[in-house]
């Protein structure tokens, strides 16, 4: 069983930066994929970014490309989401997701391809 624990959420102002972390325990992610999704009240969970653990290949949603960067630290079994130039519309609960499979680029954004989920961390952007 894999456990994912997010941290780094909180409040920030428009234009600020914030980094989310996701620590995976229970197994290593050497041949896996980690993703970030977010959800606002009344809306479906949406894809933000994903990284393939083995080669670092990434995918981003159009809404965050160029502002957010996903990365991983193999030694720490930890994934990160660096969020820059934050906007009020980035306000959401951010969820870390993982799978033991090395997803291809076209499926990295699909919720159904992820087997493990964290509890979520709230990010609120307001002035």
């Amino acid at each position: 069983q894999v456990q994912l624990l997010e941290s780094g959420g909180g409040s920030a102002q428009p234009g600020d930066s914030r980094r989310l972390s996701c620590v995976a325990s229970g197994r290593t992610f050497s041949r896996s994929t980690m993703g970030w999704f977010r959800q606002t009240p009344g809306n479906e969970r949406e894809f933000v970014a994903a990284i393939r653990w083995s080669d670092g290949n990434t995918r981003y949603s159009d809404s965050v490309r160029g502002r957010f960067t996903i990365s991983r630290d193999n030694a720490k079994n930890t994934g990160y989401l660096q969020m820059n130039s934050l906007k009020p519309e980035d306000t959401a609960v951010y969820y870390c997701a993982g799978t033991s499979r090395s997803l291809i680029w076209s499926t990295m954004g699909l919720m159904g391809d992820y087997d493990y989920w964290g509890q979520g961390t709230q990010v609120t952007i307001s002035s």
Side-chain angles (χ1 to χ4, degrees), residues 54-71:
S54 59
D55 59 9
N57 193 27
T58 59
R59 179 172 179 171
Y60 296 92
S61 68
D62 291 342
S63 61
V64 307
R65 186 178 297 111
R67 299 188 299 121
F68 291 12
T69 302
I70 189 171
S71 62

Side-chain angles (χ1 to χ4, degrees), residues 8-18 83 86-88 91 122-127:
S11 298
Q13 294 187 337
D16 284 353
S17 297
R18 206 153 184 99
M83 306 184 295
L86 284 162
K87 304 175 181 181
T91 296
Q122 175 72 45
V123 174
T124 302
I125 310 301
S126 66
S127 54

Side-chain angles (χ1 to χ4, degrees), residues 71-123:
S71 62
R72 89 280 195 225
D73 184 327
N74 291 348
K76 295 181 179 179
N77 230 24
T78 300
Y80 303 98
L81 184 68
Q82 177 67 42
M83 306 184 295
N84 298 331
S85 302
L86 284 162
K87 304 175 181 181
E89 49 264 44
D90 294 319
T91 296
V93 177
Y94 284 72
Y95 296 91
C96 175
T99 174
S100 60
R101 291 168 292 143
S102 187
L103 298 180
I104 60 176
W105 188 88
S106 62
T107 64
M108 279 182 173
L110 303 179
M111 281 184 55
D113 277 11
Y114 292 87
D115 305 303
Y116 311 107
W117 292 86
Q119 293 300 307
T121 184
Q122 175 72 45
V123 174

